[in-house]
Amino acid sequence: MVIFLQICRNYCKLIKNNVPKMKYLNVAEKNDAAKTISGFLSRGSSRRRDGLSVYNKIYEFNAAVNGRDVQMVMTSVSGHLLNYEFSGAYRNWRSCNPVQLFDATVMKCCPEDSVKIRKTLEREIRGCSALIIWTDCDREGENIGIEIIDVCRNVKNNLTVYRAKFSEITAASVRRALDNLVQPDQRQSQAVDVRSELDLRIGAAFTRFQTLRLQSVFPTIIDSLVSYGSCQIPTLGFVVQRYKEAENFVPQKFWKLKLTHTVGDLTVEFTWARNRLFDKKCCEVFFMLVKQSPPLLATVMSVTQKPKSKWRPQPMDTIELEKLGSRKLKISAKQTMTIAEKLYQQGFISYPRTETNMFSKEINLRGLVEKQAEHPVWGNFAQRVLEWGPNPRNGKKSDQAHPPIHPTKFTTSLSGNEQKVYELIVRHFLACVSRDALGSETLVSVEIGGEEFNASGLLILERNYLDVYIYDRWSAKEIHEYERGTSFYPSTIDMPEGSTTAPQMLTEADLIALMEKHSIGTDATHAEHINTVKERGYIGEVENGYLVPGTLGMGLVEGYDAMSLTLAQPQLRAGLEADLKAICDGTKNPDVVLKDQIEKYREVYKIITERAQILDEKVGFRFNSTPQQNPQAVESHMMEEVFRCPRCGTNKMVLKRKSTNNGVYISCTDYPRCKSVFWLDDVIKDAKVSGQNCQRCGGETKKITMTFKQRDTWMFLNSDTPEYTSCLLCDSALKSLLDIDIEALRRQGGESSNSQGSSSVRNVPSSGYNSATNPSTSSSRNTRPGSDPSRGYDSQRRGGTSSASSASTTSPTCPKCSQQLKKLTVKKAGGNQGREFYVCPTPENPCRTFIWADEMPAPANPPPRSRATNGRGGSDDGTENPTRPRAKRKCAICRREGHTRTNCPQNINPRTKRQKQEET
DNA sequence: GCAAGGTC
């Protein structure tokens, strides 16, 4: 019986083991979070293995999700996985007018340092049926979550996606999150996308303009980057504002009454209840009243004693660490953070980037204090804290991810600034979990001549936290013993003169406080922004750590101000913040906010470029230098968009001039990701985008005005002059002449987007972020499917991709060699099966002539068009240009017929190489 | 050579 039961049990186990478990991929925002969450959900039993990125490990365990036992795989990203970038053609500073950056296509790309993380996600998601997002529960976290989803859906389109919402990383909280999975918050993510896109467009447009303009106007003075950033410039603005307040300060005299009372060695000073008066005569009247009051006795009106305490600090967050580092240690905020990160990596302190200033109940404070109890300097204090019991004076902020900054390991081996920062963190920690300092304050109020004077004394009873927190001062102040109703003769009564003083320059700590108050940057970025404006030379540090504007910074802000632009004031950024919040609340549409903001800044950009001389003058004034007249124009060159790229379907194609200035080509702005290009230089001398839109192709397609080199070419197009205006997308004769196959490009685009999937974020091309493998692109002259030059178009045909049928005897002639074209039919299965086309019959088809029969102009040899009906040198929409016979064309290199210079055996500079050179 | 936001 026992054996039978055992067999049954084993059988059940076997069946159970053979039922494949559901497998879920879980992704957190950072490795630390993934590790802790896995630990809680697995009750410490998770197994760890390496991912492709050394910093982002993979944890595996089983857990119950929606009532089912699921195999969990947990990994992490390191913050944002994707980043907005301009499409290729706009990345070169001189490629376009900076104003075009307000409209240029931007796309989300995976930066090089995130590729390994992305690849881990792509690999792991293949074996999973669902994805759970565990990023931080804030706006950026929501956006990072969507990035993770995009990457994973690109691999697995039908993926089920969940969002785990947690308020802190504790066992109860993450378990609750897993039991109450929700959907990602698209609105919060959209708000971040709007912010990122705007920052990029505005930052790049203004930075390029300012830099190029000022470098051009002051070539011998300015050779560095004159960057504009929505956080950088308001940060500079704060420093300039304080400087100007001091610069414009006019001191004002004031007078006050002062009374002293000396007994023995102790002099007690009484201050006037009216503090000070700016009117000397008025003050003199009071002075007389007091001095002449008989019998010049001060009467004690009240004596009060009350306990007074000096509060211990709150647990330390990033901002506090930066401020203290700057104020107390005289180490810059940025440097303080760099040191703190190093200490963190060595395990001496907890994670230093935290907005939390309260300890959770779950943290073992006693254990942390115990670690410091043996320290030669503050060990005794730690002992006292243990006797009292650690009792933090908690703040109210929590980022729900990290505890306040505290020491995690005891050490006495540090030195220099590392030792100073570690000591600050330890002393602050011990102070914040100890006790407030206690004292007793005595307030004495006296009356003389109808005027009230006050004095105070302080007796310190218990120093408590002050014993360890050397950065705070609390001084005792002795006072005589007074009794209500008694009187005394003042030792002196004076009327001292004083003067108001200019405000001090900002310290770094003041600046951080201002940035925080006006929502400029985040806790994690304040120090970096300050560092950036220092690096740019916009601000500098003088003695005692005070910040002052530099020459360039001052000139810039004065330039903006003179144009009545509020770029250096914090309101612009604050306005955007309000809009972003509205997007999150669902009261504003992200597209509308983006559009409005872009228009707002475009207007500002217009003003700054039109009135750039004012900027020159203001900067020149501060540099004591005269701006150079007629500077090189920054805004003259506009990249001319022609039509949407048939291949990628997202980006525009633009007309470009070769660097050698001897020809033009049209290429996709997304180069090098999309390599669509039409070379026009063989037969065309010059080309420009006309102002006319092509009515047949649609609103955004522009016609091009071309000037042809040879008479037979424009004759072929039935033009009476070398100049010819038409549409490259729909003019068949023109396409044939230039060897352009639009349909082939479209098909390539379709294939590539099918294989790569697409992203759901705004303005992202169908090819997705730059991770996806780029479809192979033809290196032949003007792209054609499978037209690998080594195989050639004919070999493809022979290979059976499309097969020949009978040739027609009434075929038109080849526009290049004048031979009669051969008519064929597509046999390959697909969209064009059965469609007829013409090709040139010469061996290996060197002319590369290809015309769809149904796009063939008719009649074959029409009478020349009159100028009256056709207009000069152009084609009408809706009418095809007839094919005309032309003289046999000779190769430009060897002067032989039957091929062009592209295919000429004597051509030592093959097109493909040249193409690449042009493109790069 | 551009921004700001995450994080080793």
Side-chain angles (χ1 to χ4, degrees), chain A residues 266-337:
Chain A
L266 181 64
T267 297
V268 174
E269 190 176 314
F270 286 79
T271 54
W272 194 18
R274 293 184 200 272
N275 189 18
R276 62 189 184 184
L277 294 177
F278 290 96
D279 186 322
K280 188 177 181 184
K281 286 205 167 124
C282 186
C283 198
E284 280 169 346
V285 171
F286 284 111
F287 189 41
M288 294 305 290
L289 282 173
V290 170
K291 274 187 86 171
Q292 291 172 6
S293 71
L296 204 61
L297 266 177
T299 308
V300 178
M301 307 299 291
S302 67
V303 179
T304 53
Q305 268 190 338
K306 57 178 185 185
K308 175 123 180 165
S309 46
K310 188 166 173 67
W311 291 345
R312 61 198 187 282
Q314 290 183 336
M316 185 192 270
D317 57 22
T318 302
I319 289 195
E320 202 53 34
L321 172 61
E322 288 173 347
K323 284 188 194 167
L324 288 169
S326 174
R327 252 185 209 144
K328 308 293 182 184
L329 307 180
K330 305 294 176 203
I331 301 173
S332 78
K334 167 88 178 166
Q335 180 67 7
T336 303
M337 283 311 289

Side-chain angles (χ1 to χ4, degrees), chain A residues 609-716:
Chain A
T609 48
E610 282 173 0
R611 307 179 69 187
Q613 277 187 340
I614 296 180
L615 188 68
D616 303 344
E617 283 164 21
K618 294 293 176 185
V619 172
F621 174 75
R622 286 288 168 184
F623 275 113
N624 201 15
S625 172
T626 311
Q628 199 168 85
Q629 296 304 307
N630 305 319
Q632 191 184 357
V634 175
E635 65 275 20
S636 62
H637 177 86
M638 287 289 272
M639 195 144 63
E640 296 179 289
E641 292 177 345
V642 190
F643 41 70
R644 194 165 289 275
C645 172
R647 184 170 171 277
C648 69
T650 306
N651 293 278
K652 291 283 181 60
M653 295 196 78
V654 287
L655 186 73
K656 287 182 158 183
R657 223 154 289 278
K658 288 164 72 174
S659 52
T660 46
N661 214 18
N662 64 347
V664 288
Y665 60 99
I666 296 173
S667 70
C668 180
T669 50
D670 197 19
Y671 178 83
R673 294 206 300 157
C674 178
K675 293 193 173 72
S676 290
V677 61
F678 301 132
W679 296 94
L680 308 181
D681 60 319
D682 248 11
V683 289
I684 291 172
K685 192 155 65 177
D686 196 16
K688 58 178 188 271
V689 180
S690 79
Q692 303 171 42
N693 285 357
C694 175
Q695 299 299 319
R696 186 159 50 180
C697 293
E700 56 185 3
T701 301
K702 295 270 188 303
K703 286 187 180 178
I704 297 175
T705 301
M706 292 147 276
T707 311
F708 285 90
K709 288 178 183 170
Q710 294 176 351
R711 183 180 158 79
D712 56 350
T713 325
W714 74 73
M715 292 292 285
F716 166 70

Side-chain angles (χ1 to χ4, degrees), chain A residues 527-754:
Chain A
E528 278 179 36
H529 293 316
I530 296 172
N531 196 52
T532 306
V533 291
K534 274 186 192 167
E535 278 179 358
R536 299 282 188 262
Y538 293 170
I539 66 170
E541 203 172 308
V542 292
E543 67 275 14
N544 297 324
Y546 288 114
L547 300 172
V548 290
T551 324
L552 181 57
M554 202 68 191
L556 277 179
V557 175
E558 286 175 334
Y560 300 147
D561 287 350
M563 288 182 246
S564 302
L565 299 176
T566 54
L567 289 173
Q569 290 166 27
Q571 288 84 352
L572 270 177
R573 183 78 188 181
L576 173 63
E577 271 302 315
D579 272 1
L580 297 182
K581 192 168 180 305
I583 295 173
C584 294
D585 298 341
T587 52
K588 280 201 176 175
N589 179 322
D591 295 327
V592 174
V593 170
L594 182 66
K595 193 166 166 287
D596 287 353
Q597 291 279 343
I598 287 177
E599 289 317 312
K600 199 162 143 186
Y601 279 94
R602 199 201 304 272
E603 195 54 37
V604 174
Y605 185 87
K606 192 164 167 262
I607 294 171
I608 208 171
T609 48
E610 282 173 0
R611 307 179 69 187
Q613 277 187 340
I614 296 180
L615 188 68
D616 303 344
E617 283 164 21
K618 294 293 176 185
V619 172
F621 174 75
R622 286 288 168 184
F623 275 113
N624 201 15
S625 172
T626 311
Q628 199 168 85
Q629 296 304 307
N630 305 319
Q632 191 184 357
V634 175
E635 65 275 20
S636 62
H637 177 86
M638 287 289 272
M639 195 144 63
E640 296 179 289
E641 292 177 345
V642 190
F643 41 70
R644 194 165 289 275
C645 172
R647 184 170 171 277
C648 69
T650 306
N651 293 278
K652 291 283 181 60
M653 295 196 78
V654 287
L655 186 73
K656 287 182 158 183
R657 223 154 289 278
K658 288 164 72 174
S659 52
T660 46
N661 214 18
N662 64 347
V664 288
Y665 60 99
I666 296 173
S667 70
C668 180
T669 50
D670 197 19
Y671 178 83
R673 294 206 300 157
C674 178
K675 293 193 173 72
S676 290
V677 61
F678 301 132
W679 296 94
L680 308 181
D681 60 319
D682 248 11
V683 289
I684 291 172
K685 192 155 65 177
D686 196 16
K688 58 178 188 271
V689 180
S690 79
Q692 303 171 42
N693 285 357
C694 175
Q695 299 299 319
R696 186 159 50 180
C697 293
E700 56 185 3
T701 301
K702 295 270 188 303
K703 286 187 180 178
I704 297 175
T705 301
M706 292 147 276
T707 311
F708 285 90
K709 288 178 183 170
Q710 294 176 351
R711 183 180 158 79
D712 56 350
T713 325
W714 74 73
M715 292 292 285
F716 166 70
L717 293 166
N718 202 26
S719 172
D720 297 331
T721 68
E723 201 173 281
Y724 177 77
T725 300
S726 189
C727 173
L728 266 181
L729 293 184
C730 65
D731 185 334
S732 290
L734 184 62
K735 284 194 286 182
S736 165
L737 183 73
L738 298 175
D739 203 14
I740 289 171
D741 189 343
I742 303 291
E743 279 310 311
L745 281 172
R746 287 202 178 112
R747 280 195 298 279
Q748 281 189 359
E751 285 158 18
S752 61
S753 67
N754 283 343

Side-chain angles (χ1 to χ4, degrees), chain A residues 224 509 830 903:
Chain A
S224 58
N903 321 76

